Amino acid sequence: MLRATRVVAVVILPFLVVAAFLLYVVPDRTGELFAWAIDPPLSAYLLASAYVGGIWFFVRVAVERRWHRVQHGFPAVAVFAGALLVATLLHLDRFSPNLSFAVWMTLYATTPFAVVVLAIIQRRHAQRGPDPVDVEVPRFAALGLAAIGAAAFAFGAVVFAVPGFAASFWAWELTPLTGRVTGAVLSLTGVVNVALLWDRRWSAFRILFQAQLLSLAAICLSLLLRSTDLQWERPMTAVFLGLVAGAVVAYGGFTAWCEREARRIRP
C-alpha cells in the first residue's frame, strides 16, 4: 500500500465520521448542520449507513499492507462519489449556504478523481496470487453475488436517472435529490460484487463484505428507528424490507462460510 493511499484514507475518515454522526444523531437539523435539509429522516439514515461502511473500509485502507485486499472497493467509491457530485450539481438550489456544504462540495469534487488516480497508480503493486491462507470463492457463489449486485446497480441507476418516477412507488418519500442519493447508495454493492467475476480470492473481498455487512446492519437499525417514515400501503415497502433481509442472510452466510473455510485451512 502506497503512503499516498493511506494519507487519502486518513483525510477522508473524519468527514465520514462527522457526517454519519450528524445524520444519525440530529437528522431533524440537517438543514442547519448538514449540507442540505433531508426529509424524512430515513433518507438521512440511508446515506449514513453508506458512510458507516465507508468508515470501516477507509480505516482498513489506512492500516492495510496489501493493496489487493481493498482494491475492489476503490471503483465503488469512485462511482458513489461521482454520482453524488452529479446529484449536487443538478440540485444546487437544494443545498444550504453553510460550512457543511462547502466541505461537502470540496469532498465530492475531489474524491472521485483522487481514488481513480490512486487505483491506477496502485495497480502495479497489486498481489496477483492468493494470500498464504486464502479461500477461493465458489463459482456459483460468485455468479450469484454478482447477479445480486448487478440488479442493485441497475435499480439504483434507474432511481438516480428518474427520481420522480422512483418517488411514485418508493418505500418512503423521496425528493429528486434524495432519490438520486438513494440511487448512488444502491450502486455500491453492484460495483463491488461484479469484481467476483474475475477475482475469486476471499482475501480480496473480506474487508469489503465486512463493510457491506456493517452498512446493512445500519440500514436495519434505521428501519427500526424510523419505521413511521415507511409508506406501508405501497407494495415496494414489503419488497424493500424483504430485499434487505435477504441481503443480510446472503452476505452474512457467505462471509461466515468463507471465514470458516479460512480457519479450516489455516496451519
Side-chain angles (χ1 to χ4, degrees):
M1 191 79 71
L2 297 177
R3 180 175 298 178
T5 307
R6 297 179 189 275
V7 169
V8 168
V10 171
V11 169
I12 290 175
L13 269 170
F15 298 106
L16 298 180
V17 172
V18 171
F21 176 83
L22 291 176
L23 292 172
Y24 263 125
V25 177
V26 286
D28 297 326
R29 298 178 62 191
T30 49
E32 173 190 355
L33 300 176
F34 195 61
W36 87 95
I38 306 176
D39 188 54
L42 188 52
S43 288
Y45 285 179
L46 184 70
L47 179 57
S49 71
Y51 290 151
V52 168
I55 290 168
W56 177 250
F57 173 72
F58 281 109
V59 164
R60 295 304 304 268
V61 172
V63 301
E64 186 54 66
R65 304 179 70 87
R66 298 183 180 182
W67 164 247
H68 83 282
R69 293 178 179 172
V70 297
Q71 65 179 354
H72 298 308
F74 273 63
V77 172
V79 171
F80 174 74
L84 289 188
L85 174 60
V86 172
T88 301
L89 296 176
L90 289 173
H91 302 283
L92 281 172
D93 60 310
R94 298 289 300 170
F95 286 84
S96 304
N98 56 18
L99 177 61
S100 292
F101 171 63
V103 173
W104 170 282
M105 192 69 211
T106 301
L107 186 65
Y108 287 109
T110 57
T111 300
F113 308 102
V115 298
V116 168
V117 170
L118 287 172
I120 293 172
I121 295 172
Q122 283 274 186
R123 288 186 64 183
R124 71 184 67 178
H125 302 281
Q127 177 179 310
R128 298 184 181 277
D131 274 359
V133 177
D134 213 335
V135 175
E136 182 178 359
V137 177
R139 182 179 298 276
F140 75 90
L143 291 174
L145 289 167
I148 292 172
F153 183 86
F155 192 69
V158 171
V159 175
F160 184 90
V162 283
F165 171 67
S168 67
F169 63 83
W170 194 248
W172 61 88
E173 291 182 7
L174 292 179
T175 66
L177 177 53
T178 56
R180 289 197 159 99
V181 170
T182 298
V185 172
L186 292 174
S187 74
L188 284 167
T189 186
V191 181
V192 168
N193 290 13
V194 72
L196 283 162
L197 295 177
W198 60 83
D199 188 352
R200 288 161 54 194
R201 296 171 297 175
W202 172 236
S203 61
F205 291 93
R206 183 172 183 267
I207 291 171
L208 301 178
F209 273 80
Q210 290 172 348
Q212 291 192 97
L213 283 170
L214 283 173
S215 290
L216 283 168
I219 290 173
C220 290
L221 178 61
S222 301
L223 293 170
L224 289 173
L225 293 176
R226 297 300 308 187
S227 61
T228 54
D229 290 344
L230 294 170
Q231 302 288 323
W232 293 100
E233 70 278 7
R234 295 183 177 181
M236 187 61 200
T237 300
V239 172
F240 183 79
L241 294 176
L243 290 174
V244 170
V248 170
V249 172
Y251 284 41
F254 171 71
T255 300
W257 182 87
C258 290
E259 290 296 301
R260 185 192 67 185
E261 290 299 299
R263 289 193 297 270
R264 187 176 63 82
I265 65 177
R266 185 174 289 118

